[in-house]
Amino acid sequence: MKLKKFALGALAVLVVGGTAGWLSLDKETRGLLAAMPTNRDLLFWSQPQRDAAFRAMDRISLLAKWHDIPAGSTPSPLPPGPPLKLQLDVDAYMAGQRGAALLVLQDGKLRLERYGLDFDRNGRWTSFSVAKSLTSTLMGAAIRDGFIKSLDDKVSVYIPEMKGSAYDDVSIRQLLTMTSGVKWNEDYADPKSDVAQFNNHKPEEGVDSLVSYMRKLPREVPAGTRWLYSTGETNLVGILINRATKKPLATYLSEKIWVPAGMEQKATWILSKTGQEISGCCIQAAPRDFARFGQFILNGAVVNGKSIVPEGWLADATTSRTTIGQPGRGYGYQWWTYDSGAFTARGIFGQGIFIDPKRKLVIVSNADWAGGARDPGASASREAFYQAVQKAVDDEAAAGPHS
């Protein structure tokens, strides 16, 4: 399938390092960039625009700026394993998901790897809110490194500009679990929602754009009494880590995870208007490196025999800290949880890293769901796929090693 190309008039407003930078790009990349929309509000792009943009967010300086997340020189291996015997048609599943990448690691071995939408293992696909779970892991690292004293510290201790706002008395723990009680609208279909508007907000002079937006939000209920999904909360978590560590999040991510976990390619992190990584969203990475991150978490986030996070952190982060109104599900520290012990990082339009410690499973999904940001049908289909993989692993175990 070849991507539909849009009017070349868009080239007049694209800025890709000037003429020399444009000519240095390969033909495929130039074709992708020619298809890019001039509208920055990606929630309202057409499907062909999303197909083009989700693999090229960090090649379009009109839409965003970014920081690189350098990788090391020695990628960790992903040895092949025997193909999974799934009781479903994987090609049909990929088509229904409009999948760009689908990988299954089991016991550290790559047992399924498929690509679609003219994408392949060498490209970088955007994460959307999968980035929240990486931000959470950096919070654990910052506590382990002594930059942050306690999850019970108040947000305003690290972000003084929040004093006097609804976040003044909110703890870091309440930010991580999205139980601040502050009003927020995460409706992806509403152009006037907070999630659609925060990154286009004109900040007060000298104030970070995200802080400027978030500190004006009103309190709705007492802190700690209600869960409400809020990308804005994760954005504050990221700013807090940045303030505490005095390092860009991309640098800290490279130091704590990307290099020691053996990522194969550099990744990138989209920035806000005032130059801060948007920590609730938009890390561009190769699918195999998303899989390596999942395996890193499954292995306890261990580097040279020591975990980068405090003892007990991952157990707390990946099990339910608050109810979300769905039977058998919960929310931890920026991870979606299952009562079964599995947990997942999730992003709109079909991004995900599903981790099942019991079965030593990591499942990575990159996609552009046809039904929109949340697409209930595609979401249900993905849950069914997770269950099919779990069943295949269970059937293998029951059959024994000589089956």
Side-chain angles (χ1 to χ4, degrees):
M1 180 191 72
K2 295 297 180 183
L3 295 171
K4 178 181 177 183
K5 298 298 188 284
F6 289 83
L8 292 178
L11 297 181
V13 291
L14 288 172
V15 183
V16 193
T19 302
W22 174 258
L23 293 176
S24 72
L25 299 173
D26 59 70
K27 182 178 179 181
E28 179 186 5
T29 301
R30 293 200 301 268
L32 288 172
L33 296 179
M36 290 302 99
T38 58
N39 176 10
R40 293 172 61 94
D41 295 326
L42 63 85
L43 292 171
F44 308 103
W45 292 347
S46 69
Q47 183 175 289
Q49 287 173 328
R50 296 195 308 265
D51 283 352
F54 288 1
R55 74 194 71 202
M57 299 282 278
D58 54 6
R59 288 179 279 172
I60 316 165
S61 59
L62 173 72
L63 297 178
K65 297 187 184 301
W66 57 87
H67 282 158
D68 285 347
I69 304 166
S73 57
T74 308
S76 61
L78 293 177
L84 280 170
K85 297 178 181 178
L86 293 168
Q87 301 301 310
L88 56 77
D89 184 333
V90 176
D91 290 334
Y93 170 72
M94 284 282 286
Q97 292 282 297
R98 299 201 75 257
L102 179 66
L103 290 79
V104 177
L105 294 181
Q106 198 272 320
D107 199 18
K109 297 180 176 61
L110 190 58
R111 303 199 58 188
L112 177 68
E113 185 174 23
R114 298 284 182 89
Y115 295 96
L117 303 183
D118 289 337
F119 189 67
D120 61 35
R121 58 174 283 188
N122 297 313
R124 291 191 295 270
W125 198 266
T126 195
S127 71
F128 290 112
S129 290
V130 167
K132 290 180 169 68
S133 302
L134 282 89
T135 297
S136 166
T137 308
L138 292 184
M139 173 61 76
I143 292 174
R144 176 73 172 78
D145 288 345
F147 293 117
I148 295 169
K149 181 180 177 181
S150 169
L151 289 185
D152 295 318
D153 288 348
K154 301 304 181 185
V155 172
S156 54
V157 171
Y158 299 88
I159 312 176
E161 301 97 309
M162 302 308 288
K163 290 185 180 296
S165 76
Y167 284 98
D168 197 355
D169 200 39
V170 171
S171 71
I172 298 173
R173 191 185 310 274
Q174 288 163 342
L175 271 192
L176 284 172
T177 56
M178 299 190 182
T179 56
S180 71
V182 176
K183 188 176 182 180
W184 178 267
N185 181 350
E186 188 88 9
D187 185 349
Y188 300 113
D190 180 2
K192 295 184 179 180
S193 68
D194 295 300
V195 75
Q197 291 187 341
F198 78 89
N199 201 39
N200 293 321
H201 168 71
K202 185 177 180 180
E204 303 143 273
E205 187 174 352
V207 179
D208 179 273
S209 61
L210 298 173
V211 170
S212 177
Y213 188 89
M214 298 297 291
R215 72 180 186 176
K216 295 177 181 177
L217 297 174
R219 172 161 301 287
E220 201 163 44
V221 298
T225 63
R226 178 203 65 188
W227 177 81
L228 179 69
Y229 188 76
S230 169
T231 293
E233 310 273 56
T234 318
N235 295 334
L236 283 182
V237 171
I239 291 169
L240 195 153
I241 296 169
N242 168 255
R243 298 286 182 87
T245 63
K246 296 180 172 55
K247 296 180 180 181
L249 292 184
T251 300
Y252 200 47
L253 177 57
S254 178
E255 291 175 356
K256 305 306 296 187
I257 298 175
W258 227 249
V259 171
M263 303 309 184
E264 186 173 4
Q265 296 187 36
K266 80 168 186 179
T268 60
W269 208 329
I270 299 295
L271 306 179
S272 70
K273 284 185 174 182
T274 43
Q276 164 72 39
E277 291 90 346
I278 302 174
S279 47
C281 179
C282 307
I283 293 173
Q284 287 62 233
R288 285 188 168 200
D289 287 340
F290 283 129
R292 287 183 174 96
F293 173 70
Q295 190 67 41
F296 179 70
I297 295 297
L298 187 60
N299 293 341
V302 171
V303 175
N304 296 326
K306 294 182 180 180
S307 179
I308 69 165
V309 296
E311 183 177 356
W313 171 271
L314 286 176
D316 288 344
T318 62
T319 53
S320 179
R321 303 293 101 197
T322 182
T323 60
I324 63 172
Q326 298 179 33
R329 306 286 182 87
Y331 200 71
Y333 299 158
Q334 308 283 301
W335 291 92
W336 301 88
T337 68
Y338 299 75
D339 286 355
S340 67
F343 52 96
T344 185
R346 293 196 325 220
I348 55 174
F349 294 105
Q351 323 323 314
I353 304 175
F354 175 86
I355 301 173
D356 181 349
K358 177 181 176 182
R359 298 172 177 86
K360 301 179 180 178
L361 269 174
V362 175
I363 304 175
V364 168
S365 306
N366 290 138
D368 179 15
W369 283 347
R374 283 183 166 146
D375 195 338
S379 180
S381 177
R382 184 173 61 182
E383 292 297 323
F385 178 79
Y386 293 160
Q387 293 167 16
V389 173
Q390 290 171 316
K391 183 177 186 304
V393 171
D394 289 345
D395 289 347
E396 279 183 0
H402 304 295
S403 61

